[in-house]
Amino acid sequence: ISHRASFAQVDPASLTGIVIDDADADLTGDWTSSTSTKPYLGESYIHDGAAGKGEKSALFTFTVPESGKRHVLIAYSQGSNRAKKVPITIEHAEGETLVHLDEMKRTELGTGFTNVGEFPFKEGETATISIGTAGTTQHVIVDGIRLLTADEFETAKKKEKAPPKPKPVSKKPTPPRPK
């Protein structure tokens, strides 16, 4: 499948790896549910309304079935009114890492996910990913998280391709008007 419209609403159960929808996150603060921009995971995604900055967060808690590195992917719907530097804290086997995500950019996968890095996780140990709003000025979108092994990530890149970037519409020069 290579057309973004094919992924309008993505069933989390249809995806490989560990997938957690925003509906299963522990939320702090008031978030607004939306289905305005596709694709989205599950029934909807949430946004902060570009308000209450630093007071809102979404915490995803999980364990991995076996120790090893996993690619951490974040689901969001990109747009021109999105935050450029969304703070994401990943708690993993070697500590915590803070990364920032530009939600104005197109997602890496057609299913609405973008890879933010590869981190080690230990079997049986609880780990978390927290998406916050501190330091942002525009809308922060939270749609879900996904953890993939290197092989799973390579397969996802092939099966969940994002469509090519739209080509600019070329305008034919207007012929001069007869005088």
Side-chain angles (χ1 to χ4, degrees):
I1 303 173
S2 62
H3 192 304
R4 187 174 291 270
S6 301
F7 294 114
Q9 186 176 359
V10 181
D11 177 1
S14 72
L15 300 172
T16 56
I18 297 168
V19 182
I20 305 174
D21 188 22
D22 62 277
D24 297 315
D26 291 322
L27 303 178
T28 300
D30 293 326
W31 292 84
T32 302
S33 181
S34 180
T35 57
S36 297
T37 306
K38 294 171 180 53
Y40 54 86
L41 188 64
E43 298 298 317
S44 64
Y45 59 88
I46 56 174
H47 65 82
D48 70 348
K53 297 302 187 172
E55 299 170 8
K56 301 177 184 184
S57 65
L59 182 68
F60 297 87
T61 304
F62 57 91
T63 58
V64 296
E66 60 185 50
S67 295
K69 288 190 172 187
R70 298 278 192 292
H71 288 273
V72 172
L73 287 79
I74 305 297
Y76 65 96
S77 59
Q78 65 87 213
S80 60
N81 67 342
R82 308 301 196 234
K84 285 185 142 189
K85 204 171 177 186
V86 176
I88 301 167
T89 303
I90 298 134
E91 179 193 329
H92 50 80
E94 295 176 358
E96 278 188 5
T97 302
L98 174 65
V99 297
H100 291 91
L101 178 63
D102 183 350
E103 292 189 344
M104 286 183 134
K105 289 186 177 178
R106 288 167 35 114
T107 58
E108 191 172 350
L109 300 179
T111 48
F113 286 92
T114 291
N115 185 14
V116 296
E118 189 178 27
F119 304 91
F121 295 95
K122 195 168 182 180
E123 179 181 345
E125 284 189 7
T126 299
T128 62
I129 296 171
S130 178
I131 302 172
T133 63
T136 63
T137 56
Q138 293 189 288
H139 288 81
V140 171
I141 306 299
V142 177
D143 195 15
I145 62 123
R146 187 173 177 191
L147 287 94
L148 297 173
T149 64
D151 289 344
E152 289 170 334
F153 183 52
E154 288 307 312
T155 300
K157 287 194 292 188
K158 291 174 188 160
K159 289 186 174 181
E160 303 168 32
K161 285 185 180 179
K165 290 183 181 176
K167 293 180 182 174
V169 178
S170 62
K171 293 183 179 180
K172 293 180 182 175
T174 309
R177 291 186 174 170
K179 294 183 180 179

